[in-house]
Amino acid sequence: MAIGVVTPRGNVGAHVLRLLVQAGERPLALLRDPSLLRADLATYVDAAALDVWDGASVEEATRGLDALYWVSPTATDRDPLAAHALAAANVRAAVDANGIERVVFQSSVGAEKRHGVGEIDGLAAIEQELEQTSASVTHLRCGYFFTNLLMDAESIRDGVLATAFDISRPMPWVAPADIAEVATARLLSRRWNGCHVQAVHGPEDLSFRQVAHTLAVTLGHPVNAHQIGDDDVRSALRQQGMPAAQIEAIVMMAAGIREDFTPENPRTYATTTPTTLTSWAAEHLG
């Protein structure tokens, strides 16, 4: 089976690549610069250059694939929503041109809302484009990544977990390695067809208050959740030199989940994955 993996060096993609190799496959790693892939992986994987925002590149790199793990990366040099729209058009064209049978797409909780969730609106657009192809498609509606906490590691060490999300509202949190397990199982299975949504919710829903408490117990020092306003986020990102379109894409992700949002996919046996925040934090933040 020919399986392509986009962002094979990413939080999820790196695990997908390893799991496919361990399953006996020889996956194709798809990334902008194949020379960045670890040299020792050449024994186990092939690599090809792919720029998600270049249609010819996407079509060429995915030629001959039976299955594709698709990730639309965040653009840092343009409007993120426009970039996702371009990537959506490119992958749709490539899937149909190359007759790819199955696509597993790394989407997000909130994409079901379709509009008003910042950058997640771009993922929703990709869901809709993929559903128009001839391929069987599974959208992975992933919870909030544990790895997002690494961006706040210094603040957490100082005892503060700041967020624009509602700190009292529980939501799904998940380890990227667990997402990779679900993605790999879907890529390898031929038992499904048509369009599907597979939520990936982690072991339990947690509010930021609960996350802060878990971090405090695990790390052995006080950590308190602190809710900040959207304008505070805008100001901080503006000081970092971030363009206005990117700032709004980030701000509206939290605002869209915080306001008028009910998840489409309930937590079930099929959506629950095993890695706990306690075990992840002990390994990565301890």
Side-chain angles (χ1 to χ4, degrees):
M1 194 187 314
I3 303 175
V5 179
V6 177
T7 63
R9 301 169 67 241
N11 286 323
V12 178
H15 294 291
V16 172
L17 205 67
R18 173 180 52 81
L19 290 167
L20 289 171
V21 168
Q22 290 172 338
E25 300 291 338
R26 186 177 179 87
L28 178 66
L30 300 166
L31 65 170
R32 293 192 69 165
D33 183 356
S35 70
L36 296 177
L37 204 64
R38 283 171 27 202
D40 61 310
L41 295 185
T43 303
Y44 307 101
V45 308
D46 296 314
L50 178 143
D51 179 347
V52 300
W53 301 304
D54 183 301
S57 166
V58 175
E59 183 173 336
E60 174 65 27
T62 59
R63 190 166 293 142
L65 293 181
D66 300 303
L68 173 65
Y69 185 65
W70 183 261
V71 180
S72 185
T74 296
T76 58
D77 61 345
R78 66 193 87 179
D79 182 332
L81 294 183
H84 284 307
L86 178 58
N90 290 342
V91 67
R92 175 181 177 176
V95 166
D96 279 336
N98 293 327
I100 298 172
E101 297 175 6
R102 296 187 316 288
V103 179
V104 177
F105 170 50
Q106 183 179 303
S107 188
S108 172
V109 167
E112 63 265 49
K113 197 172 179 180
R114 296 310 192 204
H115 298 288
V117 204
E119 187 168 354
I120 296 174
D121 290 355
L123 305 184
I126 296 173
E127 287 191 10
Q128 292 173 307
E129 288 286 341
L130 287 171
E131 288 168 8
Q132 300 304 310
T133 69
S134 57
S136 292
V137 179
T138 292
H139 307 306
L140 300 183
R141 295 255 180 91
C142 305
Y144 196 75
F145 284 21
F146 288 160
T147 45
N148 289 336
L149 292 170
L150 295 174
M151 295 184 288
D152 297 314
E154 184 174 344
S155 178
I156 290 169
R157 281 193 292 270
D158 291 338
V160 177
L161 177 59
T163 181
F165 286 94
D166 181 344
I167 61 174
S168 299
R169 180 174 181 171
M171 62 184 191
W173 287 68
V174 64
D178 288 357
I179 298 170
E181 290 187 359
V182 177
T184 303
R186 282 280 176 169
L187 289 166
L188 293 172
S189 173
R190 294 184 181 273
R191 300 285 293 179
W192 59 278
N193 54 62
C195 292
H196 299 265
V197 172
Q198 170 68 58
V200 192
H201 285 154
E204 60 180 331
D205 290 0
L206 296 167
S207 69
F208 271 84
R209 289 189 192 277
Q210 291 170 311
V211 168
H213 174 74
T214 298
L215 294 176
V217 172
T218 304
L219 303 177
H221 63 76
V223 180
N224 294 298
H226 174 59
Q227 187 167 339
I228 58 178
D230 293 340
D231 286 341
D232 295 322
V233 176
R234 289 186 179 97
S235 177
L237 296 177
R238 201 175 295 119
Q239 289 177 17
Q240 296 175 22
M242 192 172 289
Q246 284 183 263
I247 292 172
E248 286 308 301
I250 292 171
V251 168
M252 288 307 298
M253 278 194 288
I257 296 295
R258 189 180 64 229
E259 301 166 2
D260 187 31
F261 174 64
T262 301
E264 178 181 83
N265 309 111
R267 175 177 292 280
T268 67
Y269 175 78
T271 73
T272 299
T273 55
T275 303
T276 65
L277 177 60
T278 296
S279 63
W280 181 90
E283 179 179 357
H284 297 280
L285 291 173

